[in-house]
Amino acid sequence: MVLLPPSEAEAYDTRQCLITAVQTHAATEGYAITIRHSNNVTKTTYLGCDRGGVYRNRNNLRNDNRQRDTASRLTGCPFSIRASERDGVWTLK
């Protein structure tokens, strides 16, 4: 099953409208979007899949000294998209 990315041809009035539209599209395709990072100076926001990345072991636990079986939702999804504002219009790239 191929998950389709949101259309880059559309323009949005506000950042929140853009994020809502991308979240709605992602929900219909079976995934979710999170804000990975944003920059208010350059008016740029990077969005990514909520399953992107890999588990980071912060407590230096190993399988032999771990007390509970754990699971991570992260699957290494490479999806990333950039949203930027120019002349008051937000677009995806």
Side-chain angles (χ1 to χ4, degrees):
M1 179 171 137
V2 176
L3 301 176
L4 300 174
S7 173
E8 295 181 11
E10 297 185 33
Y12 304 92
D13 295 332
T14 64
R15 178 178 177 253
Q16 189 58 45
C17 288
L18 178 134
I19 291 171
T20 302
V22 172
Q23 279 286 22
T24 303
H25 172 79
T28 61
E29 291 292 320
Y31 61 98
I33 298 296
T34 60
I35 298 173
R36 291 295 179 190
H37 58 275
S38 61
N39 186 332
N40 290 332
V41 175
T42 61
K43 302 284 185 170
T44 305
T45 301
Y46 291 89
L47 306 171
C49 180
D50 69 331
R51 305 294 172 129
V54 293
Y55 174 72
R56 295 187 316 186
N57 185 3
R58 294 188 174 103
N59 296 323
N60 296 324
L61 294 176
R62 298 179 311 276
N63 287 337
D64 60 334
N65 67 355
R66 182 179 303 275
Q67 293 183 359
R68 292 183 293 268
D69 289 332
T70 61
S72 174
R73 292 179 45 200
L74 301 180
T75 61
C77 177
F79 177 79
S80 178
I81 194 163
R82 181 180 59 166
S84 59
E85 179 195 15
R86 279 209 182 178
D87 301 326
V89 177
W90 284 87
T91 57
L92 295 171
K93 294 187 170 67

